[in-house]
Amino acid sequence: MSETIEAAQLGQAWEKYGKEASVLSLDCFDTLIWRTVAEPADVFCELPAPLTRTRRMVAERTARARARASGRQEVTLEEIYRIALPAASEDERNAAVAAELAAEKRVCRAFAPAVALIRAAKANGARVIVVSDTYLTATQLAALIDAAAGEPLAGLLDAIFCSCDYGVSKCDGLFRHALRHLKVAPQRVLHIGDNTQADLRAPRALGIRAYQLLAGDASWQQQWRMEAAALVLADPALRAQRAPHLPYRLLLAAQPPPAARAERLGFGTLGPVMYAFADWVRNEARTLAAEGRPVKVGFLMRDGYLAWQVYQLLKQAEDPPAAAVEMSRFTAFAASLRTIDDILDYFALVEDGLAPAALGKQLLLTPEEVARVSPDGRCERFQAAVLQPAWARRIFERSAQFRRRLLAHVRQVLELQPGQILLLVDLGYAGTVQNRIQHLFAEELRVEVAGRYLLLRDVPRSDDARRAFFGPDRLDARLLECLQTYVAALEQLSGVSAGSVVDYSPIGEPVRKSVVQNAQAEAFRVAAQRACLRFVAEAVQFDRVQRIDAEARWQGALACLARLLLLPAKAEAEQWAASTHDVNLGVADVLPLVNLHAAREDLRRLGAVYARSAPRVLASAELSWAGHEIALAHLTRARLGIDLRVTDLQDHALQLPAMVARNGAVTRITVHALPTFEGFYAALIPVGRGEYAVGAQFGAICEWLQLESARLVPQRRQFEAFYRAGEVDLTAAAVHEGIAAYDGGLLHCLHEHAFSYFEPTAPAGNEPLVLRIVFRPLVERRRGDVNTAAAVPHAAGREA
């Protein structure tokens, strides 16, 4: 006999399991009605002062402990409030009880498959009961169910049995009371609930046909937990001032779990984000139009593609029209170079530095001209030269020609008229395109430009013609920085496969950069976007039936976005390993989104701090792939601005004896080997400019170890991952004394004086270097039990 029922199959359970039953028995919470909050106790966040979530939970624990001490198993809500509000009057406590019941009614919704099951049972002449372990009385629970389900369940429930009314739980006798009341044999009852003990084991022990409801498969359950965690990390006010909501679990659980990763990601994550964002954009456009001026909505391509598709799906006759506008950061800058300040603004955007060839391309100079401006390839010389009048005039003239082509494109796709408002829509995150073109459009087209973004950092601007769904008006700067760091994941999923626009024909047709398509990544994106649109179509009806308001929709979208960017699933990280990110500044450079092999090496070398300088785009995905405990630690540091440094790990370091030699002189030192990942440690030993040789006395601390790598690193970059290609690998050149070396870096230290010898070969340059030795102790050296065999030198490689 099977034990479980998938939530999506609940509506068909009577046909499959109820043929011999005359009574359908259902658990209440998370079976018949579900809460939209992240956890049941989050309802208490909605209670009026002086009550808090913690105070209410402690009061219930205390009331239950007192009941057990007096021989009772269950308590009522009134008893809980006598503990929670000991100094209150009876009327005040009654008001508090009413406030909690009202809060429950605001967050409880009927689960559609459960309603369908009840209707099927009633259609076959069965009675329907609810059996619940709860501090609510049957009268209170009936009122709650009526509020949650409304008309669909009116008059369909024959009885409600609550543990607090009978003083016993389902595990301790509540089902017996129900059977006696109904005067029915156990085998004639079909019971379904979500708890293994209370809803499966206990009723089956009495002969009741019972099944456990699985509220979503394991991956959905994990995703919802991570969304709840991400939501609370994102918005500190949640669980302090208001309840966190995940409103679409009811919709997702009612669907058969998607087998394909793209379907799951598109329906369960992209869908809630894009639906909430596009609906907000639609309302913003309506608000502007209500002021009496015509509004045109332009979604910036490439990243705005999916939001545009969702807007078109939601759009009603009275909503302003929308079109796709092909403008990139490259074309926006190229068209807006009119003054020296414009050139300086561009240099500020790329303050980390690009090669003169890339800088010149953005400034519309040819490669030959770039070579004339900066023959030695120095970025500083190039920047100073192009600010001189002759070169600046050339840039301004070419920008004017580029501007005419861009304006032709905008006129063609939007049909703008003077006096209109152009609402530019993009994912964000700094509004660079809007910054560059809004004054230009005001002068050339005589239209007002307003920006609406999914995500917007708190950047200094002289105007307020921009708003964001997730912006500094509701979220703090640290969170916005965290989300922006990894927004490329959303850009990849939301965009269109065409290359970034780099120019326009004289009549405004986009000229795009050629891209090499990854067929697998493109198929994944298309499937995810299709699933997203399917979610939106279903969510529109779901919101009407389940009364999902804008605040709950906003929180649900934030939870999905924060989880996707900050705590992605392992399977998502593996999927992104096949994708790259176009930096979209007119250069040919693309960055890998994820490199799992390199991430493991970086974690072993640097620990989680590598994510600060990872040469990939989604270090958060790499950390989650390595383990959510690592990802959460990194996220907490970044989210809260904790100044945690590598040296703060010294309390957990291994003390590795070492010898540093130069010109025959040997100095003995002790090195702090800092813990990194998977049991590895990293020892950082200064070697001057490569003139010091190093002997790492592994035998003093280990009998067996794994040597992962030994690399020369510039001292100023010893805690960075981005410049790994410039390191010098000395691992294979190591000479082992008193050590037997095997494949895979496995070393057996034959005695406590055994060491590995590294002789640095200085790279080109004249800067201080560090030897970073990464190793994993396998068997600790036992003091007092030393193998005194003579040290025998072994070259790295296989032991004969």
Side-chain angles (χ1 to χ4, degrees):
M1 186 179 180
S2 62
E3 293 188 340
T4 61
I5 296 176
E6 295 283 349
Q9 303 303 317
L10 185 59
Q12 293 78 47
W14 187 261
E15 179 180 349
K16 187 172 183 180
Y17 302 110
K19 294 178 182 178
E20 299 178 2
S22 60
V23 174
L24 171 64
S25 170
L26 290 177
D27 172 47
C28 184
F29 295 104
D30 295 323
T31 301
L32 174 56
I33 61 175
W34 292 32
R35 298 178 175 100
T36 61
V37 289
E39 295 180 3
D42 290 336
V43 177
F44 307 147
C45 300
E46 303 285 327
L47 300 179
L51 292 164
T52 63
R53 184 178 190 269
T54 300
R55 183 170 183 173
R56 169 60 177 78
M57 292 171 67
V58 170
E60 182 175 344
R61 286 199 296 268
T62 303
R64 291 189 181 280
R66 290 168 60 94
R68 286 194 298 271
S70 62
R72 293 185 295 116
Q73 298 175 356
E74 295 295 317
V75 297
T76 64
L77 192 56
E78 288 74 14
E79 289 177 293
I80 293 171
Y81 273 93
R82 281 197 284 273
I83 302 296
L85 301 172
S89 67
E90 192 68 22
D91 287 343
E92 289 170 332
R93 283 196 289 269
N94 289 339
V97 168
E100 179 168 329
L101 293 173
E104 288 278 16
K105 291 175 182 178
R106 288 195 298 271
V107 304
C108 284
R109 303 291 185 271
F111 188 46
V115 175
L117 173 60
I118 291 174
R119 290 188 174 278
K122 297 299 286 188
N124 284 274
R127 288 180 289 176
V128 178
I129 66 171
V130 171
V131 182
S132 179
D133 283 339
T134 177
Y135 40 73
L136 302 181
T137 66
T139 300
Q140 291 168 336
L141 189 57
L144 179 57
I145 293 172
D146 284 344
E151 184 63 29
L153 280 184
L156 297 184
L157 299 182
D158 295 282
I160 296 176
F161 300 90
C162 296
S163 59
C164 72
D165 287 331
Y166 292 89
V168 292
S169 67
K170 286 187 275 191
C171 289
D172 295 311
L174 184 58
F175 283 109
R176 291 191 182 92
H177 287 285
L179 293 172
R180 281 196 295 269
H181 178 86
L182 297 170
K183 297 181 174 59
V184 66
Q187 60 270 23
R188 299 281 289 167
V189 176
L190 171 64
H191 178 78
I192 299 173
D194 67 301
N195 187 277
T196 304
Q197 294 299 323
D199 296 307
L200 181 68
R201 303 282 180 254
R204 283 195 174 186
L206 298 175
I208 294 173
R209 295 171 57 85
Y211 297 88
Q212 182 182 0
L213 180 69
L214 300 181
D217 64 11
S219 60
W220 276 142
Q221 295 284 350
Q222 183 189 45
Q223 177 170 316
W224 296 336
R225 289 195 302 272
M226 291 300 103
E227 286 175 356
L231 180 58
V232 175
L233 282 169
D235 190 351
L238 298 175
R239 293 211 172 115
Q241 300 173 10
R242 60 187 187 276
H245 288 261
L246 300 177
Y248 293 114
R249 287 186 304 167
L250 287 84
L251 176 56
L252 297 178
Q255 306 284 325
R261 293 178 183 174
E263 290 284 320
R264 185 177 294 271
L265 182 61
F267 194 85
T269 299
L270 274 184
V273 174
M274 287 298 161
Y275 170 46
F277 174 50
D279 190 57
W280 174 78
V281 169
R282 193 165 60 105
N283 287 324
E284 290 288 296
R286 284 178 172 179
T287 300
L288 289 174
E291 297 174 0
R293 294 172 60 188
V295 175
K296 294 289 183 70
V297 185
F299 286 82
L300 288 177
M301 299 294 110
R302 298 168 298 172
D303 301 340
Y305 173 77
L306 184 56
W308 176 46
Q309 294 296 301
V310 175
Y311 183 93
Q312 297 290 76
L313 189 62
L314 297 176
K315 183 178 177 298
Q316 298 178 3
E318 65 271 21
D319 293 324
V325 182
E326 302 248 13
M327 278 192 293
S328 63
R329 286 183 294 172
F330 177 81
T331 62
F333 265 107
S336 60
L337 299 170
R338 299 186 291 178
T339 68
I340 292 297
D341 282 342
D342 294 328
I343 299 176
L344 291 173
D345 281 347
Y346 169 62
F347 289 156
L349 178 70
V350 293
E351 59 185 357
D352 289 338
L354 288 174
L359 295 172
K361 186 172 183 179
Q362 176 67 86
L363 298 178
L364 305 176
L365 300 178
T366 67
E368 294 75 20
E369 289 170 330
V370 171
R372 285 166 52 195
V373 172
S374 180
D376 58 1
R378 290 176 53 203
C379 183
E380 297 83 358
R381 179 171 178 173
F382 173 86
Q383 290 179 327
V386 297
L387 296 175
Q388 298 305 310
W391 285 109
R393 280 196 301 272
R394 185 173 305 193
I395 291 169
F396 300 153
E397 290 169 0
R398 292 178 185 175
S399 180
Q401 297 169 7
F402 197 105
R403 183 158 55 250
R404 284 192 288 272
R405 299 194 294 273
L406 182 148
L407 292 174
H409 169 72
V410 173
R411 290 189 181 99
Q412 180 186 104
V413 299
L414 288 172
E415 301 178 350
L416 290 172
Q417 300 296 323
Q420 291 183 330
I421 298 175
L422 171 56
L423 189 67
L424 277 184
V425 182
D426 194 11
L427 298 186
Y429 46 90
T432 303
V433 171
Q434 180 188 354
N435 297 343
R436 301 311 308 165
I437 59 89
Q438 65 181 18
H439 298 301
L440 173 67
F441 280 25
E443 296 171 12
E444 300 279 352
L445 301 176
R446 288 182 291 163
V447 298
E448 178 184 339
V449 177
R452 295 297 182 266
Y453 302 93
L454 175 70
L455 175 68
L456 188 65
R457 292 166 51 206
D458 191 8
V459 293
R461 296 302 304 171
S462 59
D463 62 86
D464 59 354
R466 68 198 66 227
R467 292 186 61 193
F469 193 54
F470 302 125
D473 59 327
R474 290 202 61 176
L475 299 171
D476 65 82
R478 289 197 183 279
L479 173 72
L480 295 172
E481 287 289 337
C482 288
L483 294 175
Q484 175 263 313
T485 299
Y486 303 119
V487 77
L490 186 65
E491 292 172 346
Q492 289 294 315
L493 293 167
S494 302
V496 67
S497 60
S500 178
V501 61
V502 294
D503 205 343
Y504 308 90
S505 74
I507 62 171
E509 294 293 332
V511 177
R512 301 181 182 90
K513 182 171 63 177
S514 61
V515 293
V516 178
Q517 297 291 349
N518 180 305
Q520 178 185 359
E522 180 58 20
F524 184 90
R525 181 199 343 233
V526 170
Q529 291 183 354
R530 189 182 300 118
C532 171
L533 295 175
R534 181 168 65 86
F535 172 89
V536 173
E538 296 191 19
V540 171
Q541 176 64 19
F542 178 85
D543 280 8
R544 282 198 290 264
V545 172
Q546 300 289 16
R547 312 180 308 282
I548 304 302
D549 60 23
E551 173 63 21
R553 196 179 303 127
W554 184 87
Q555 288 189 22
L558 178 59
C560 287
L561 180 67
R563 184 211 62 83
L564 176 68
L565 301 187
L566 306 178
L567 293 171
K570 184 177 182 180
E572 291 167 345
E574 292 168 348
Q575 175 62 40
W576 283 322
S579 300
T580 56
H581 177 59
D582 174 6
V583 298
N584 195 18
L585 279 171
V587 298
D589 296 344
V590 294
L591 294 175
L593 281 177
V594 168
N595 186 326
L596 300 180
H597 175 73
R600 171 161 273 157
E601 290 187 354
D602 286 336
L603 278 163
R604 288 175 173 180
R605 293 183 309 118
L606 299 173
V609 297
Y610 94 90
R612 300 180 190 177
S613 61
R616 280 92 58 194
V617 177
L618 292 180
S620 61
E622 295 174 347
L623 291 171
S624 292
W625 171 81
H628 277 309
E629 68 281 5
I630 298 172
L632 281 166
H634 171 70
L635 170 59
T636 302
R637 181 204 62 77
R639 174 69 183 87
L640 301 179
I642 300 172
D643 188 16
L644 181 65
R645 307 183 184 185
V646 174
T647 53
D648 295 329
L649 303 176
Q650 288 187 357
D651 290 344
H652 304 283
L654 289 177
Q655 305 305 307
L656 175 65
M659 299 166 285
V660 179
R662 181 187 183 190
N663 298 330
V666 178
T667 301
R668 294 185 177 274
I669 61 173
T670 299
V671 179
H672 296 293
L674 303 176
T676 56
F677 175 63
E678 293 183 327
F680 282 86
Y681 288 76
L684 296 164
I685 306 172
V687 294
R689 288 167 175 79
E691 64 266 31
Y692 290 94
V694 173
Q697 193 179 335
F698 292 124
I701 60 174
C702 301
E703 291 186 15
W704 290 86
L705 71 144
Q706 178 186 353
L707 178 63
E708 198 269 348
S709 64
R711 292 172 173 262
L712 281 180
V713 185
Q715 188 177 60
R716 64 190 174 92
R717 295 173 174 170
Q718 60 185 308
F719 298 122
E720 297 181 9
F722 195 82
Y723 301 97
R724 187 172 65 163
E727 299 176 0
V728 178
D729 193 346
L730 302 179
T731 313
V735 176
H736 304 297
E737 294 290 343
I739 295 176
Y742 301 88
D743 287 344
L746 184 63
L747 304 182
H748 180 201
C749 299
L750 303 177
H751 54 78
E752 65 178 341
H753 303 294
F755 66 92
S756 295
Y757 176 79
F758 305 92
E759 187 165 359
T761 302
N766 194 35
E767 61 178 317
L769 302 171
V770 168
L771 176 65
R772 181 196 291 118
I773 303 174
V774 180
F775 65 97
R776 174 162 54 185
L778 300 175
V779 179
E780 184 182 352
R781 170 70 62 188
R782 293 174 294 178
R783 299 299 177 185
D785 186 19
V786 177
N787 184 340
T788 57
V792 179
H794 292 267
R798 183 183 297 241
E799 174 74 357

